[in-house]
Amino acid sequence: MLAEIISIGDELLIGQVINTNAAWISEQLNFAGIRVVQISAIPDNKETIKDSLNEATKRADIILMTGGLGPTKDDITKYTLCEYFSCEMVFDEGVYQHIVQLFKEKGFRMNDLNKSQANIPSACKPFPNFLGTAPGMWFEKNNHIFISMPGVPFEMKAMMTNYIIPEFQKQFKLPHIFHKTILTQGIPESLLAQIIESWENNLPKNIKLAYLPQPGIVRLRLSSSGTNSKSVKQLIDEQIEKLKKIIPTEIFGYDNETLEEVVGNMLKKSGQTLSTAESCTGGYIAHLITSIPGSSAYFKGSVVAYANEIKENLLGVSKESLIRYGAVSQEVVNEMAAGARKIFNTDFSIAVSGIAGPDGGTEEKPVGTIWIALSSAKSTQSFKFKMGDHRQRNIRRTALTALNMLRRELIESM
């Protein structure tokens, strides 16, 4: 089965609202074994909606729409669909009673606009919206299914989960589509592709590999489908085991895991603690660590030492090192890491100092020059990186690189 998603709303086209609905719907359809062939965003315009539906029927069996079902004059989807399916608007008593009950529960007064939500095209089969007033609408025409849902995300998601996906599974025999995403850090996409080229070339024909790079991380997504979910999963798992032998230290997790989550679980398991001393990242590493529930079990605290006097007075960095080598140096970052570990009395401490940009660089230390240190009772080790010339990407890459240094150290110490 092939599906197309059409998101309706001027707000999507002017950048006022990010179209998260389409991404979520696409993911759910994929999980169910339905392949999405196209996603589009269109304005609240009658002719554009009709034209988009006509074009979609050339590509897909199922067309899902979101948006334009509110009670105000700018919401025209319902009335356009009434014209498109050559039917009339009828009053649905069941939809109306739901709206009455919803307003009663919330303690709001109904008006005629709210009541008008119970007017629906006669050609549709309405399905419930337990979280709002606009019902979902299911149309069928020339062996195509057309589904219209509200644009409000939590209303749409409830409809998809509780009604639409189960209905698809009831009506159609759908294949099992399986995806597994391998998460890597510390190796650029081009170099990674070179290292795993032989493995990639020998993948079974029914497994597709996609490279999904983002700042600091390269994701490798393996996809396959078949009638037997167990055999599809087993086939992909076998390929992952082969890949783990090629890049054993670069893989840090799978699917939706984050590096901060992986590191946090390792620290919790080992009973060890962490602190940070941050300059160019401005507390971003500490933010990532503390975004994980339960991080208080292993994270003690951080010093954001942006100014040299803070490095010196709080972290114990020597004035001589700052003068002789500069804040962005191996000597200073080592002293920052050792100082933080001493202050917080932790097993590990991460320290970073660099030039995030866009200015502040020199010929000797250009923008993107970053020093990262990891201190433990055993030793303090540090490395120099050239991250690039984009400030936010530099901050993100630095944080992920630092966490991955800790992850590798934890693996060796276990």
Side-chain angles (χ1 to χ4, degrees):
M1 296 295 293
L2 304 179
E4 182 157 334
I5 301 167
I6 301 174
S7 303
I8 303 169
D10 294 336
E11 67 278 6
L12 300 172
L13 298 175
I14 64 173
Q16 189 176 31
V17 173
I18 297 173
N19 189 8
T20 59
N21 280 351
W24 188 87
I25 293 170
S26 180
E27 183 180 51
Q28 301 309 303
L29 292 173
N30 208 268
F31 287 151
I34 299 170
R35 188 160 67 90
V36 176
V37 293
Q38 184 159 312
I39 295 173
S40 58
I42 62 174
D44 293 294
N45 177 276
K46 184 187 297 185
E47 295 308 316
T48 304
I49 294 172
K50 291 180 181 179
D51 290 343
S52 297
L53 291 175
N54 286 332
E55 288 299 313
T57 58
K58 299 174 185 178
R59 294 181 289 264
D61 309 296
I62 301 167
I63 297 95
L64 298 102
M65 297 162 275
T66 60
L69 297 184
T72 53
K73 291 180 180 179
D74 61 322
D75 292 304
I76 64 168
T77 300
K78 181 169 61 175
Y79 302 97
T80 303
L81 291 173
C82 196
E83 290 184 20
Y84 184 80
F85 290 101
S86 304
C87 63
E88 58 183 1
M89 205 68 82
V90 296
F91 184 80
D92 189 289
E93 183 64 28
V95 173
Y96 175 66
Q97 290 302 323
H98 163 69
I99 297 171
V100 171
Q101 183 62 30
L102 188 67
F103 272 71
K104 183 179 178 181
E105 290 173 358
K106 294 186 175 182
F108 297 154
R109 287 184 61 184
M110 279 187 62
N111 59 32
D112 289 340
L113 284 176
N114 304 130
K115 186 177 179 180
S116 71
Q117 292 287 72
N119 293 323
I120 60 173
S122 60
C124 85
K125 177 174 66 174
F127 51 91
N129 179 358
F130 295 111
L131 302 175
T133 59
M137 296 179 290
W138 181 298
F139 301 86
E140 296 187 20
K141 181 180 179 180
N142 298 331
N143 296 319
H144 289 83
I145 295 173
F146 303 79
I147 295 169
S148 180
M149 297 174 286
V152 180
F154 67 86
E155 294 181 23
M156 175 276 296
K157 289 180 179 180
M159 287 184 179
M160 285 289 295
T161 302
N162 298 323
Y163 186 84
I164 296 169
I165 295 296
E167 192 64 26
F168 287 158
Q169 292 169 332
K170 188 189 303 181
Q171 289 195 29
F172 310 114
K173 188 175 181 180
L174 300 171
H176 296 279
I177 298 176
F178 185 75
H179 300 287
K180 192 69 176 179
T181 303
I182 304 132
L183 308 171
T184 72
Q185 206 287 325
I187 184 167
E189 179 187 13
S190 57
L191 180 57
L192 178 61
Q194 185 179 16
I195 292 171
I196 66 173
E197 183 179 9
S198 177
W199 171 83
E200 181 179 354
N201 291 340
N202 286 286
L203 284 171
K205 290 183 179 180
N206 61 333
I207 293 183
K208 181 181 178 182
L209 172 66
Y211 289 81
L212 306 169
Q214 56 183 226
I217 289 174
V218 179
R219 296 170 295 163
L220 302 172
R221 188 190 65 224
L222 293 174
S223 304
S224 188
S225 62
T227 56
N228 187 302
S229 60
K230 187 176 180 180
S231 62
V232 171
K233 181 180 182 301
Q234 183 178 346
L235 185 63
I236 286 183
D237 286 343
E238 289 171 358
Q239 301 309 310
I240 292 174
E241 288 303 313
K242 293 178 182 178
L243 182 64
K244 285 163 67 175
K245 294 177 181 177
I246 303 170
I247 49 170
T249 59
E250 282 75 18
I251 297 172
F252 71 83
Y254 301 91
D255 298 328
N256 296 317
E257 286 183 299
T258 63
L259 192 47
E260 53 269 27
E261 181 183 9
V262 170
V263 168
N265 287 336
M266 293 174 76
L267 287 168
K268 193 181 292 184
K269 185 177 180 180
S270 66
Q272 295 174 297
T273 55
L274 172 67
S275 58
T276 63
E278 303 184 52
S279 183
C280 61
T281 49
Y284 185 65
I285 301 173
H287 161 71
L288 291 180
I289 295 165
T290 57
S291 69
I292 304 304
S295 54
S296 60
Y298 49 84
F299 186 65
K300 292 290 189 72
S302 177
V303 174
V304 179
Y306 221 62
N308 282 352
E309 58 264 31
I310 304 302
K311 294 180 177 72
E312 184 180 348
N313 296 332
L314 287 185
L315 291 171
V317 176
S318 71
K319 182 176 287 188
E320 181 184 355
S321 294
L322 288 165
I323 295 171
R324 184 175 180 182
Y325 304 108
V328 181
S329 64
Q330 183 174 30
E331 291 77 11
V332 167
V333 80
N334 283 349
E335 292 179 40
M336 287 172 64
R341 194 169 65 84
K342 182 179 179 181
I343 291 170
F344 293 105
N345 190 29
T346 53
D347 297 294
F348 296 99
S349 182
I350 291 170
V352 296
S353 185
I355 306 165
D359 50 24
T362 65
E363 188 174 339
E364 183 186 357
K365 299 176 183 179
V367 169
T369 302
I370 310 287
W371 277 98
I372 303 175
L374 176 64
S375 180
S376 67
K378 183 175 65 175
S379 66
T380 297
Q381 53 183 314
S382 50
F383 299 93
K384 181 182 179 181
F385 298 89
K386 297 288 183 68
M387 296 292 183
D389 58 4
H390 189 281
R391 183 178 184 82
Q392 294 306 318
R393 284 201 296 268
N394 287 344
I395 291 171
R396 175 73 176 166
R397 285 172 176 163
T398 299
L400 293 173
T401 303
L403 288 172
N404 200 45
M405 282 174 59
L406 175 58
R407 180 186 69 86
R408 291 189 177 196
E409 180 67 19
L410 286 165
I411 290 172
E412 290 181 10
S413 64
M414 284 182 175

